[in-house]
Amino acid sequence: MISRSTLSITWVPPDIEEERWEFFNHPAKQEWYRIHAVTWEQIVSRCADGALVSYPRSATIGKIPVALSYHSYGDYQTFLARAKRGYRKNYSRMEDVLQHDGSMALKAPIILCSGGEGLLFSGYRRLCLGWNYGIIPYVWLVTL
């Protein structure tokens, strides 16, 4: 028999302005932006044309490889479960709400796509929450 969970997450389109830091300050993403000649203005202008797309736990979305998605449970243990308290705290709060209320609405993580390659732009903790609870997350896929 297969056990089913009644936990659920409603994924809603994100606000790109709330994710500004990811473009201007996240050191691990700067090379991807440079290689793909991506500008903040380009992201902002294309974001409204994004779409909610399911993202089962994988290193790819469809056939597109997604950089920095850290999809394996081992990655989760390395990058989130053992991260500094401040980084884990937000995840723990989301987890508590999901377990207590049984459902919640979250802004979808954002994946940028350019030249046949993707980048997890924002929302790693939100992805992990879905993946770790067997809920297939939806992401906001933005083609540049």
Side-chain angles (χ1 to χ4, degrees):
M1 296 303 286
I2 297 175
S3 296
R4 300 275 182 219
S5 173
T6 58
L7 301 176
S8 66
I9 298 173
T10 300
W11 302 94
V12 298
D15 179 351
I16 192 64
E17 290 297 333
E18 292 176 1
E19 308 294 349
R20 247 182 117 79
W21 185 91
E22 301 292 336
F23 182 80
F24 292 102
N25 301 102
H26 197 295
K29 298 174 183 175
Q30 299 307 310
E31 182 179 353
W32 194 92
Y33 304 140
R34 194 170 41 259
I35 289 169
H36 295 281
V38 173
T39 66
W40 176 246
E41 293 74 20
Q42 189 180 23
I43 293 170
V44 170
S45 71
R46 298 306 310 254
C47 194
D49 296 329
L52 284 172
V53 177
S54 66
Y55 187 30
R57 183 172 258 167
S58 172
T60 62
I61 188 161
K63 294 182 180 184
I64 301 167
V66 180
L68 305 180
S69 69
Y70 305 122
H71 67 286
S72 75
Y73 188 73
D75 289 337
Y76 159 77
Q77 289 181 313
T78 299
F79 296 109
L80 183 55
R82 294 184 188 141
K84 291 182 180 179
R85 186 174 185 270
Y87 190 78
R88 280 193 326 267
K89 197 173 186 180
N90 184 275
Y91 178 85
S92 296
R93 270 193 294 253
M94 290 187 300
E95 193 173 46
D96 290 346
V97 169
L98 182 61
Q99 289 178 4
H100 182 268
D101 296 348
S103 66
M104 66 189 310
L106 287 176
K107 292 178 182 172
I110 299 170
I111 293 180
L112 303 178
C113 182
S114 179
E117 297 179 336
L119 170 72
L120 178 60
F121 179 71
S122 66
Y124 179 63
R125 288 172 284 204
R126 289 170 272 165
L127 271 180
C128 285
L129 184 67
W131 287 339
N132 290 343
Y133 280 84
I135 298 168
I136 295 176
Y138 277 72
V139 297
W140 192 249
L141 184 61
V142 178
T143 302
L144 303 173

